[in-house]
Amino acid sequence: MNNVMKKPTWMTYLLFSELFVVLVFIDQFTKDLIVKSFALGQKDPIINGFFSFMYVRNTGSAFSMFSEKSWGITFLSTISTIAFVLLIVLAFFVLARFRSRRLSICLLFLCAGTLGNLIDRIRLKYVVDFICFDFGSYTFPIFNVADIYVTLSCIAIAVLLLFNEKFIPEIPFNPTKDEPQKESGLIDFPGKDEKPDTDGE
């Protein structure tokens, strides 16, 4: 790939910020819609025997982990707050320093999912879950839109890091100011292409 990764402008940061707000809004909107439309525990099949909406309250983490622990909500709220702050800083740092829009978008999805569930834990003391899949007699742990953000973004980040030669821009060690970077996964070590000076031999 030889695409030039230009320095992000203020418009780029604005668009990324708007994307983040929209993602959080979608998560909160869907949860609010379920709370207003369903009774607690109500299940409404969309595809009989496979996919349905079911309103449940989850005091644990994604997919109901730690839901039976009395300390779970406090512990998870604290961890989520720390994780959110670190992730949002990292997302914009990656955009500004490494100019990797793909990786930054993945991190924004991860941030949005973290914040979406954190808002529920702080405001309601539980997380609203409603997406339910049944596989015969087995019901997959019920989840929400924020959980989808977190899961898919983690998978995407793993793919980006494992196959960086296709997805991550080249990261020079000492880039010059305002110098465009090539979109490549190969790290350009200084001096790697320099030929030894043999004139004096």
Side-chain angles (χ1 to χ4, degrees):
M1 295 183 181
N2 295 318
N3 296 330
V4 174
M5 301 295 288
K6 298 180 179 180
K7 182 179 179 180
T9 64
W10 67 269
M11 181 61 71
T12 303
Y13 291 108
L14 179 61
L15 290 174
F16 272 63
S17 300
E18 290 177 348
L19 171 63
F20 174 73
V21 172
V22 169
L23 290 173
V24 175
F25 172 79
I26 292 173
D27 171 66
Q28 291 297 300
F29 175 78
T30 55
K31 290 174 179 175
D32 185 62
L33 187 61
I34 289 295
V35 171
K36 291 179 178 179
S37 305
F38 285 66
L40 182 62
Q42 179 182 344
K43 189 173 185 178
D44 187 5
I46 305 300
I47 301 177
N48 287 327
F50 176 65
F51 173 59
S52 58
F53 289 145
M54 181 178 181
Y55 173 30
V56 298
R57 296 174 178 176
N58 175 19
T59 57
S61 63
F63 306 113
S64 301
M65 291 187 293
F66 303 116
S67 60
E68 297 180 356
K69 305 295 183 181
S70 60
W71 47 263
I73 193 69
T74 301
F75 172 75
L76 291 170
S77 296
T78 303
I79 295 299
S80 295
T81 302
I82 296 173
F84 169 71
V85 173
L86 293 176
L87 286 170
I88 197 69
V89 171
L90 179 61
F92 284 97
F93 173 77
V94 167
L95 179 62
R97 175 63 178 82
F98 298 149
R99 307 178 190 181
S100 175
R101 289 167 175 79
R102 295 181 181 91
L103 188 54
S104 294
I105 289 175
C106 292
L107 288 169
L108 282 182
F109 269 83
L110 185 55
C111 291
T114 302
L115 181 60
N117 285 337
L118 178 60
I119 291 173
D120 281 15
R121 292 191 183 101
I122 294 176
R123 184 170 64 92
L124 304 172
K125 304 303 180 184
Y126 57 82
V127 174
V128 175
D129 287 337
F130 59 91
I131 301 174
C132 178
F133 283 94
D134 293 305
F135 301 93
S137 60
Y138 173 74
T139 299
F140 190 80
I142 302 172
F143 56 99
N144 56 44
V145 174
D147 294 334
I148 295 176
Y149 292 162
V150 172
T151 302
L152 293 183
S153 61
C154 286
I155 294 173
I157 290 171
V159 171
L160 290 174
L161 296 179
L162 288 173
F163 303 99
N164 61 340
E165 69 274 13
K166 294 182 179 179
F167 297 106
I168 292 185
E170 181 177 304
I171 304 174
F173 284 92
N174 297 302
T176 58
K177 186 177 181 181
D178 296 333
E179 179 184 356
Q181 300 178 20
K182 298 178 181 178
E183 188 173 359
S184 169
L186 301 177
I187 297 178
D188 187 13
F189 291 91
K192 70 174 186 178
D193 294 327
E194 296 179 3
K195 297 182 180 180
D197 186 4
T198 58
D199 293 342
E201 295 182 359

